[in-house]
Amino acid sequence: VITIDATGTMIYHKDPVPEMYCRCATRVGAHPPTVEAMKASFKAAFKSSLEQWPCFGHAAGLSSREWWKRTVRAAFDGAGASYSDREFERVFQSVYQHFGTPGAYMVFDDVLPFLQWASGRFCVGLVSNNVDRLADNTL
């Protein structure tokens, strides 16, 4: 049995995450923070969320969506964006939907040859913190 993490091993983000967060805000008519501010803030928010709610919220009984919602909110807040709850809902929906589509990702060049090689030899399992969206829409 071989288990492989999806993001960063088989697929990667087509565009930098902080850049896409800002673009998603713009798409719904919200004023985004700078990409540089979002870059630092996303990293801090992601780390804080992992510490506060380990295993992407599973240990605290959070759904994956709720864990990401809290993380995205912290990232925008930390980057200096000041959204009302209603405006943040639109921003979050845009971000959450974007990262649940195939257009958000690219497949590493060595994935298909590896899977062809491994398929007859091993049981291959895919692991992801984003399984509810990746499995339905991306993979």
Side-chain angles (χ1 to χ4, degrees), residues 53-80:
W53 306 292
C55 300
F56 296 91
H58 181 74
L62 297 177
S63 67
S64 173
R65 187 179 198 286
E66 183 60 28
W67 188 91
W68 278 109
K69 187 174 190 176
R70 292 177 185 195
T71 304
V72 171
R73 172 63 109 170
F76 276 103
D77 287 350

PDB file of all heavy atoms in Angstrom, residues 53-80:
ATOM      1  N   TRP A  53      -6.956  24.233  15.828  1.00  0.00           N
ATOM      2  CA  TRP A  53      -7.894  23.160  15.463  1.00  0.00           C
ATOM      3  C   TRP A  53      -7.137  22.103  14.664  1.00  0.00           C
ATOM      4  O   TRP A  53      -7.212  22.061  13.429  1.00  0.00           O
ATOM      5  CB  TRP A  53      -9.056  23.719  14.631  1.00  0.00           C
ATOM      6  CG  TRP A  53      -9.757  24.858  15.301  1.00  0.00           C
ATOM      7  CD1 TRP A  53     -10.519  24.809  16.438  1.00  0.00           C
ATOM      8  CD2 TRP A  53      -9.761  26.217  14.876  1.00  0.00           C
ATOM      9  NE1 TRP A  53     -10.986  26.061  16.731  1.00  0.00           N
ATOM     10  CE2 TRP A  53     -10.535  26.948  15.788  1.00  0.00           C
ATOM     11  CE3 TRP A  53      -9.180  26.905  13.797  1.00  0.00           C
ATOM     12  CZ2 TRP A  53     -10.740  28.310  15.671  1.00  0.00           C
ATOM     13  CZ3 TRP A  53      -9.376  28.266  13.681  1.00  0.00           C
ATOM     14  CH2 TRP A  53     -10.151  28.957  14.615  1.00  0.00           C
ATOM     15  N   PRO A  54      -6.376  21.231  15.333  1.00  0.00           N
ATOM     16  CA  PRO A  54      -5.554  20.230  14.631  1.00  0.00           C
ATOM     17  C   PRO A  54      -6.354  19.350  13.667  1.00  0.00           C
ATOM     18  O   PRO A  54      -7.580  19.226  13.790  1.00  0.00           O
ATOM     19  CB  PRO A  54      -4.977  19.387  15.778  1.00  0.00           C
ATOM     20  CG  PRO A  54      -5.097  20.236  16.994  1.00  0.00           C
ATOM     21  CD  PRO A  54      -6.305  21.104  16.779  1.00  0.00           C
ATOM     22  N   CYS A  55      -5.643  18.748  12.765  1.00  0.00           N
ATOM     23  CA  CYS A  55      -6.227  17.831  11.780  1.00  0.00           C
ATOM     24  C   CYS A  55      -7.336  18.515  10.979  1.00  0.00           C
ATOM     25  O   CYS A  55      -8.381  17.927  10.708  1.00  0.00           O
ATOM     26  CB  CYS A  55      -6.746  16.562  12.446  1.00  0.00           C
ATOM     27  SG  CYS A  55      -5.469  15.647  13.318  1.00  0.00           S
ATOM     28  N   PHE A  56      -7.078  19.788  10.621  1.00  0.00           N
ATOM     29  CA  PHE A  56      -8.025  20.575   9.829  1.00  0.00           C
ATOM     30  C   PHE A  56      -9.412  20.599  10.446  1.00  0.00           C
ATOM     31  O   PHE A  56     -10.416  20.543   9.765  1.00  0.00           O
ATOM     32  CB  PHE A  56      -8.041  20.081   8.375  1.00  0.00           C
ATOM     33  CG  PHE A  56      -6.709  20.303   7.716  1.00  0.00           C
ATOM     34  CD1 PHE A  56      -5.729  19.325   7.749  1.00  0.00           C
ATOM     35  CD2 PHE A  56      -6.421  21.498   7.080  1.00  0.00           C
ATOM     36  CE1 PHE A  56      -4.488  19.533   7.178  1.00  0.00           C
ATOM     37  CE2 PHE A  56      -5.182  21.713   6.510  1.00  0.00           C
ATOM     38  CZ  PHE A  56      -4.202  20.733   6.556  1.00  0.00           C
ATOM     39  N   GLY A  57      -9.413  20.696  11.797  1.00  0.00           N
ATOM     40  CA  GLY A  57     -10.656  20.860  12.537  1.00  0.00           C
ATOM     41  C   GLY A  57     -11.328  19.579  12.976  1.00  0.00           C
ATOM     42  O   GLY A  57     -12.258  19.613  13.786  1.00  0.00           O
ATOM     43  N   HIS A  58     -10.871  18.457  12.471  1.00  0.00           N
ATOM     44  CA  HIS A  58     -11.536  17.189  12.784  1.00  0.00           C
ATOM     45  C   HIS A  58     -11.580  16.939  14.297  1.00  0.00           C
ATOM     46  O   HIS A  58     -12.626  16.542  14.833  1.00  0.00           O
ATOM     47  CB  HIS A  58     -10.852  16.025  12.075  1.00  0.00           C
ATOM     48  CG  HIS A  58     -11.502  14.711  12.350  1.00  0.00           C
ATOM     49  ND1 HIS A  58     -12.709  14.344  11.791  1.00  0.00           N
ATOM     50  CD2 HIS A  58     -11.135  13.687  13.153  1.00  0.00           C
ATOM     51  CE1 HIS A  58     -13.045  13.151  12.227  1.00  0.00           C
ATOM     52  NE2 HIS A  58     -12.110  12.728  13.053  1.00  0.00           N
ATOM     53  N   ALA A  59     -10.469  17.171  14.969  1.00  0.00           N
ATOM     54  CA  ALA A  59     -10.398  16.912  16.414  1.00  0.00           C
ATOM     55  C   ALA A  59     -11.363  17.807  17.200  1.00  0.00           C
ATOM     56  O   ALA A  59     -11.821  17.440  18.281  1.00  0.00           O
ATOM     57  CB  ALA A  59      -8.969  17.115  16.915  1.00  0.00           C
ATOM     58  N   ALA A  60     -11.704  18.979  16.651  1.00  0.00           N
ATOM     59  CA  ALA A  60     -12.612  19.911  17.328  1.00  0.00           C
ATOM     60  C   ALA A  60     -14.053  19.774  16.837  1.00  0.00           C
ATOM     61  O   ALA A  60     -14.930  20.530  17.251  1.00  0.00           O
ATOM     62  CB  ALA A  60     -12.133  21.345  17.106  1.00  0.00           C
ATOM     63  N   GLY A  61     -14.274  18.820  15.939  1.00  0.00           N
ATOM     64  CA  GLY A  61     -15.617  18.609  15.410  1.00  0.00           C
ATOM     65  C   GLY A  61     -16.025  19.615  14.346  1.00  0.00           C
ATOM     66  O   GLY A  61     -17.208  19.760  14.043  1.00  0.00           O
ATOM     67  N   LEU A  62     -15.048  20.305  13.767  1.00  0.00           N
ATOM     68  CA  LEU A  62     -15.342  21.253  12.694  1.00  0.00           C
ATOM     69  C   LEU A  62     -15.385  20.529  11.353  1.00  0.00           C
ATOM     70  O   LEU A  62     -14.606  19.605  11.115  1.00  0.00           O
ATOM     71  CB  LEU A  62     -14.260  22.340  12.602  1.00  0.00           C
ATOM     72  CG  LEU A  62     -14.075  23.265  13.796  1.00  0.00           C
ATOM     73  CD1 LEU A  62     -12.907  24.213  13.539  1.00  0.00           C
ATOM     74  CD2 LEU A  62     -15.342  24.039  14.071  1.00  0.00           C
ATOM     75  N   SER A  63     -16.261  20.965  10.488  1.00  0.00           N
ATOM     76  CA  SER A  63     -16.233  20.456   9.114  1.00  0.00           C
ATOM     77  C   SER A  63     -15.037  21.078   8.411  1.00  0.00           C
ATOM     78  O   SER A  63     -14.494  22.105   8.851  1.00  0.00           O
ATOM     79  CB  SER A  63     -17.516  20.850   8.374  1.00  0.00           C
ATOM     80  OG  SER A  63     -17.559  22.261   8.188  1.00  0.00           O
ATOM     81  N   SER A  64     -14.625  20.469   7.329  1.00  0.00           N
ATOM     82  CA  SER A  64     -13.544  21.030   6.528  1.00  0.00           C
ATOM     83  C   SER A  64     -13.899  22.439   6.076  1.00  0.00           C
ATOM     84  O   SER A  64     -13.075  23.351   6.133  1.00  0.00           O
ATOM     85  CB  SER A  64     -13.285  20.136   5.307  1.00  0.00           C
ATOM     86  OG  SER A  64     -12.358  20.733   4.447  1.00  0.00           O
ATOM     87  N   ARG A  65     -15.142  22.641   5.668  1.00  0.00           N
ATOM     88  CA  ARG A  65     -15.583  23.959   5.202  1.00  0.00           C
ATOM     89  C   ARG A  65     -15.469  25.001   6.312  1.00  0.00           C
ATOM     90  O   ARG A  65     -15.002  26.108   6.086  1.00  0.00           O
ATOM     91  CB  ARG A  65     -17.027  23.881   4.694  1.00  0.00           C
ATOM     92  CG  ARG A  65     -17.505  25.150   4.034  1.00  0.00           C
ATOM     93  CD  ARG A  65     -18.946  24.986   3.519  1.00  0.00           C
ATOM     94  NE  ARG A  65     -19.302  25.973   2.543  1.00  0.00           N
ATOM     95  CZ  ARG A  65     -19.558  27.260   2.819  1.00  0.00           C
ATOM     96  NH1 ARG A  65     -19.493  27.684   4.056  1.00  0.00           N
ATOM     97  NH2 ARG A  65     -19.874  28.093   1.856  1.00  0.00           N
ATOM     98  N   GLU A  66     -15.896  24.649   7.525  1.00  0.00           N
ATOM     99  CA  GLU A  66     -15.824  25.593   8.640  1.00  0.00           C
ATOM    100  C   GLU A  66     -14.377  25.905   9.003  1.00  0.00           C
ATOM    101  O   GLU A  66     -14.034  27.036   9.318  1.00  0.00           O
ATOM    102  CB  GLU A  66     -16.586  25.060   9.862  1.00  0.00           C
ATOM    103  CG  GLU A  66     -16.613  26.017  11.032  1.00  0.00           C
ATOM    104  CD  GLU A  66     -17.266  27.365  10.744  1.00  0.00           C
ATOM    105  OE1 GLU A  66     -18.165  27.449   9.873  1.00  0.00           O
ATOM    106  OE2 GLU A  66     -16.871  28.361  11.395  1.00  0.00           O
ATOM    107  N   TRP A  67     -13.521  24.887   8.974  1.00  0.00           N
ATOM    108  CA  TRP A  67     -12.107  25.120   9.264  1.00  0.00           C
ATOM    109  C   TRP A  67     -11.525  26.104   8.254  1.00  0.00           C
ATOM    110  O   TRP A  67     -10.841  27.049   8.628  1.00  0.00           O
ATOM    111  CB  TRP A  67     -11.334  23.795   9.220  1.00  0.00           C
ATOM    112  CG  TRP A  67      -9.914  23.930   9.699  1.00  0.00           C
ATOM    113  CD1 TRP A  67      -9.470  23.762  10.978  1.00  0.00           C
ATOM    114  CD2 TRP A  67      -8.770  24.275   8.917  1.00  0.00           C
ATOM    115  NE1 TRP A  67      -8.109  23.977  11.030  1.00  0.00           N
ATOM    116  CE2 TRP A  67      -7.661  24.290   9.774  1.00  0.00           C
ATOM    117  CE3 TRP A  67      -8.568  24.565   7.577  1.00  0.00           C
ATOM    118  CZ2 TRP A  67      -6.374  24.585   9.352  1.00  0.00           C
ATOM    119  CZ3 TRP A  67      -7.282  24.869   7.137  1.00  0.00           C
ATOM    120  CH2 TRP A  67      -6.196  24.875   8.017  1.00  0.00           C
ATOM    121  N   TRP A  68     -11.826  25.892   6.974  1.00  0.00           N
ATOM    122  CA  TRP A  68     -11.314  26.801   5.950  1.00  0.00           C
ATOM    123  C   TRP A  68     -11.934  28.187   6.080  1.00  0.00           C
ATOM    124  O   TRP A  68     -11.269  29.197   5.873  1.00  0.00           O
ATOM    125  CB  TRP A  68     -11.546  26.215   4.548  1.00  0.00           C
ATOM    126  CG  TRP A  68     -10.485  25.233   4.201  1.00  0.00           C
ATOM    127  CD1 TRP A  68     -10.609  23.880   4.099  1.00  0.00           C
ATOM    128  CD2 TRP A  68      -9.107  25.521   3.953  1.00  0.00           C
ATOM    129  NE1 TRP A  68      -9.396  23.315   3.806  1.00  0.00           N
ATOM    130  CE2 TRP A  68      -8.457  24.299   3.712  1.00  0.00           C
ATOM    131  CE3 TRP A  68      -8.356  26.693   3.925  1.00  0.00           C
ATOM    132  CZ2 TRP A  68      -7.083  24.223   3.429  1.00  0.00           C
ATOM    133  CZ3 TRP A  68      -6.994  26.614   3.642  1.00  0.00           C
ATOM    134  CH2 TRP A  68      -6.370  25.382   3.405  1.00  0.00           C
ATOM    135  N   LYS A  69     -13.193  28.255   6.431  1.00  0.00           N
ATOM    136  CA  LYS A  69     -13.843  29.557   6.597  1.00  0.00           C
ATOM    137  C   LYS A  69     -13.139  30.374   7.681  1.00  0.00           C
ATOM    138  O   LYS A  69     -12.859  31.569   7.496  1.00  0.00           O
ATOM    139  CB  LYS A  69     -15.315  29.370   6.939  1.00  0.00           C
ATOM    140  CG  LYS A  69     -16.112  30.643   6.957  1.00  0.00           C
ATOM    141  CD  LYS A  69     -17.587  30.327   7.162  1.00  0.00           C
ATOM    142  CE  LYS A  69     -18.444  31.526   6.938  1.00  0.00           C
ATOM    143  NZ  LYS A  69     -19.871  31.203   7.052  1.00  0.00           N
ATOM    144  N   ARG A  70     -12.846  29.747   8.797  1.00  0.00           N
ATOM    145  CA  ARG A  70     -12.145  30.444   9.879  1.00  0.00           C
ATOM    146  C   ARG A  70     -10.739  30.847   9.451  1.00  0.00           C
ATOM    147  O   ARG A  70     -10.260  31.932   9.795  1.00  0.00           O
ATOM    148  CB  ARG A  70     -12.095  29.558  11.122  1.00  0.00           C
ATOM    149  CG  ARG A  70     -13.455  29.350  11.749  1.00  0.00           C
ATOM    150  CD  ARG A  70     -13.390  28.419  12.929  1.00  0.00           C
ATOM    151  NE  ARG A  70     -14.726  28.139  13.444  1.00  0.00           N
ATOM    152  CZ  ARG A  70     -14.955  27.598  14.622  1.00  0.00           C
ATOM    153  NH1 ARG A  70     -13.957  27.281  15.428  1.00  0.00           N
ATOM    154  NH2 ARG A  70     -16.201  27.374  15.019  1.00  0.00           N
ATOM    155  N   THR A  71     -10.076  29.988   8.720  1.00  0.00           N
ATOM    156  CA  THR A  71      -8.715  30.267   8.264  1.00  0.00           C
ATOM    157  C   THR A  71      -8.703  31.403   7.252  1.00  0.00           C
ATOM    158  O   THR A  71      -7.861  32.309   7.323  1.00  0.00           O
ATOM    159  CB  THR A  71      -8.086  28.989   7.682  1.00  0.00           C
ATOM    160  OG1 THR A  71      -8.133  27.948   8.668  1.00  0.00           O
ATOM    161  CG2 THR A  71      -6.653  29.215   7.239  1.00  0.00           C
ATOM    162  N   VAL A  72      -9.623  31.359   6.314  1.00  0.00           N
ATOM    163  CA  VAL A  72      -9.710  32.414   5.291  1.00  0.00           C
ATOM    164  C   VAL A  72     -10.043  33.751   5.944  1.00  0.00           C
ATOM    165  O   VAL A  72      -9.459  34.784   5.606  1.00  0.00           O
ATOM    166  CB  VAL A  72     -10.735  32.039   4.194  1.00  0.00           C
ATOM    167  CG1 VAL A  72     -11.004  33.208   3.262  1.00  0.00           C
ATOM    168  CG2 VAL A  72     -10.239  30.833   3.404  1.00  0.00           C
ATOM    169  N   ARG A  73     -10.958  33.753   6.904  1.00  0.00           N
ATOM    170  CA  ARG A  73     -11.316  34.988   7.616  1.00  0.00           C
ATOM    171  C   ARG A  73     -10.081  35.564   8.314  1.00  0.00           C
ATOM    172  O   ARG A  73      -9.797  36.755   8.228  1.00  0.00           O
ATOM    173  CB  ARG A  73     -12.432  34.717   8.624  1.00  0.00           C
ATOM    174  CG  ARG A  73     -12.754  35.871   9.539  1.00  0.00           C
ATOM    175  CD  ARG A  73     -13.261  37.083   8.795  1.00  0.00           C
ATOM    176  NE  ARG A  73     -14.663  37.264   9.039  1.00  0.00           N
ATOM    177  CZ  ARG A  73     -15.344  38.343   8.678  1.00  0.00           C
ATOM    178  NH1 ARG A  73     -14.767  39.338   8.079  1.00  0.00           N
ATOM    179  NH2 ARG A  73     -16.617  38.422   8.903  1.00  0.00           N
ATOM    180  N   ALA A  74      -9.347  34.708   9.012  1.00  0.00           N
ATOM    181  CA  ALA A  74      -8.139  35.166   9.714  1.00  0.00           C
ATOM    182  C   ALA A  74      -7.099  35.702   8.737  1.00  0.00           C
ATOM    183  O   ALA A  74      -6.421  36.688   9.028  1.00  0.00           O
ATOM    184  CB  ALA A  74      -7.553  34.027  10.554  1.00  0.00           C
ATOM    185  N   ALA A  75      -6.989  35.068   7.570  1.00  0.00           N
ATOM    186  CA  ALA A  75      -6.027  35.530   6.571  1.00  0.00           C
ATOM    187  C   ALA A  75      -6.394  36.924   6.060  1.00  0.00           C
ATOM    188  O   ALA A  75      -5.537  37.814   5.984  1.00  0.00           O
ATOM    189  CB  ALA A  75      -5.941  34.541   5.413  1.00  0.00           C
ATOM    190  N   PHE A  76      -7.649  37.131   5.732  1.00  0.00           N
ATOM    191  CA  PHE A  76      -8.072  38.453   5.258  1.00  0.00           C
ATOM    192  C   PHE A  76      -7.981  39.495   6.372  1.00  0.00           C
ATOM    193  O   PHE A  76      -7.508  40.610   6.137  1.00  0.00           O
ATOM    194  CB  PHE A  76      -9.480  38.400   4.659  1.00  0.00           C
ATOM    195  CG  PHE A  76      -9.494  37.968   3.223  1.00  0.00           C
ATOM    196  CD1 PHE A  76      -9.859  36.675   2.877  1.00  0.00           C
ATOM    197  CD2 PHE A  76      -9.133  38.850   2.206  1.00  0.00           C
ATOM    198  CE1 PHE A  76      -9.868  36.271   1.552  1.00  0.00           C
ATOM    199  CE2 PHE A  76      -9.133  38.453   0.876  1.00  0.00           C
ATOM    200  CZ  PHE A  76      -9.505  37.162   0.546  1.00  0.00           C
ATOM    201  N   ASP A  77      -8.411  39.141   7.570  1.00  0.00           N
ATOM    202  CA  ASP A  77      -8.318  40.083   8.690  1.00  0.00           C
ATOM    203  C   ASP A  77      -6.867  40.480   8.935  1.00  0.00           C
ATOM    204  O   ASP A  77      -6.556  41.659   9.094  1.00  0.00           O
ATOM    205  CB  ASP A  77      -8.914  39.486   9.971  1.00  0.00           C
ATOM    206  CG  ASP A  77     -10.432  39.402   9.955  1.00  0.00           C
ATOM    207  OD1 ASP A  77     -11.073  39.975   9.042  1.00  0.00           O
ATOM    208  OD2 ASP A  77     -10.980  38.738  10.865  1.00  0.00           O
ATOM    209  N   GLY A  78      -5.992  39.488   8.962  1.00  0.00           N
ATOM    210  CA  GLY A  78      -4.570  39.747   9.212  1.00  0.00           C
ATOM    211  C   GLY A  78      -3.905  40.561   8.120  1.00  0.00           C
ATOM    212  O   GLY A  78      -2.902  41.244   8.355  1.00  0.00           O
ATOM    213  N   ALA A  79      -4.459  40.495   6.914  1.00  0.00           N
ATOM    214  CA  ALA A  79      -3.902  41.254   5.786  1.00  0.00           C
ATOM    215  C   ALA A  79      -4.477  42.666   5.716  1.00  0.00           C
ATOM    216  O   ALA A  79      -4.136  43.434   4.824  1.00  0.00           O
ATOM    217  CB  ALA A  79      -4.168  40.507   4.479  1.00  0.00           C
ATOM    218  N   GLY A  80      -5.361  42.990   6.654  1.00  0.00           N
ATOM    219  CA  GLY A  80      -5.908  44.338   6.710  1.00  0.00           C
ATOM    220  C   GLY A  80      -7.224  44.547   5.993  1.00  0.00           C
ATOM    221  O   GLY A  80      -7.704  45.673   5.887  1.00  0.00           O
TER     222      GLY A  80
END
